Amino acid sequence: EGMAQAAAVGQRLKEVRFDKVIVSDLLRAQQTAALALPGYEYQTDWRIREISVGSLMGRRVADCAAQLGEPYLRHRSARDFTAYGGENPGQMQRRVSEFLEDLTKEPPEARIAVVCHEGTMYSMLCHVLKCKLPYLAAYADNGGICVFSYRSGRWVLNKWNETGRLEPEA
């Protein structure tokens, strides 16, 4: 399903020419970029990863809940994985904000595609809107296209979660 979603994004973006493509260093984002933006060379950037869960990486939520119990469930609910060597939402927000601020140094007319993860997009939205929203208050679908621009010294949200569908999924 994810591969089909990436190919669909590629179809929606096929007329757009990008000057640069930046992709999360996680494999699934790189696979998405290869399908959605074929023919582009891209650079990876660790700052646009999903939130780090530390030593829990690669483990199933159900297994963690069974093995670690209530403390894990509290940390997961708060999205605070510092107890496991990961990060909390504030730490993720800082690294994503640093990434966006680095993009402000690019030429103003540059078109840059960023292939990342839902939590990263949410952090970008919070940075652009200069606010703190409840986690995933603005849902982003797999394959949803978000467009931000940097003009006159400030970030602007142009599109959020464009999927090509007229109705949201149930």
Side-chain angles (χ1 to χ4, degrees):
E1 184 178 1
M3 293 170 70
Q5 291 167 334
V9 168
Q11 285 300 307
R12 291 198 316 274
L13 294 176
K14 69 182 177 187
E15 302 300 321
V16 180
R17 294 291 163 242
F18 294 101
D19 300 303
K20 183 185 279 191
V21 177
I22 306 171
V23 181
S24 162
D25 64 341
L26 297 178
L27 179 61
R28 66 183 181 270
Q30 294 173 41
Q31 292 168 331
T32 297
L35 290 167
L37 300 168
Y40 282 97
E41 289 188 25
Y42 57 83
Q43 65 186 57
T44 60
D45 195 312
W46 67 272
R47 296 174 298 176
I48 54 175
R49 284 181 162 206
E50 186 55 89
I51 195 166
S52 172
V53 296
S55 63
L56 304 176
M57 186 170 186
R59 296 176 64 186
R60 294 175 16 152
V61 171
D63 294 342
C64 291
Q67 293 169 355
L68 303 170
E70 184 60 33
Y72 163 76
L73 294 173
R74 278 194 314 275
H75 288 292
R76 184 172 189 276
S77 177
R79 293 185 44 80
D80 182 351
F81 300 99
T82 53
Y84 309 102
E87 60 188 349
N88 62 38
Q91 292 167 321
M92 181 182 183
Q93 184 66 55
R94 281 189 291 281
R95 72 173 156 81
V96 172
S97 292
E98 178 185 294
F99 170 80
L100 284 174
E101 287 311 304
D102 281 352
L103 288 184
T104 67
K105 299 170 188 157
E106 295 288 337
E109 67 283 352
R111 286 184 168 225
I112 302 169
V114 176
V115 181
C116 57
H117 313 275
E118 180 181 36
T120 310
M121 291 304 307
Y122 178 76
S123 291
M124 288 178 177
L125 179 66
C126 290
H127 178 84
V128 169
L129 297 179
K130 297 184 184 326
C131 67
K132 183 176 180 180
L133 299 169
Y135 180 62
L136 297 184
Y139 182 75
D141 287 296
N142 280 343
I145 297 171
C146 303
V147 179
F148 302 105
S149 58
Y150 187 75
R151 297 190 295 250
S152 304
R154 68 183 182 97
W155 283 101
V156 175
L157 170 64
N158 303 104
K159 277 186 188 180
W160 180 259
N161 197 36
E162 198 284 8
T163 62
R165 293 190 311 265
L166 296 176
E167 298 294 326
E169 282 189 4

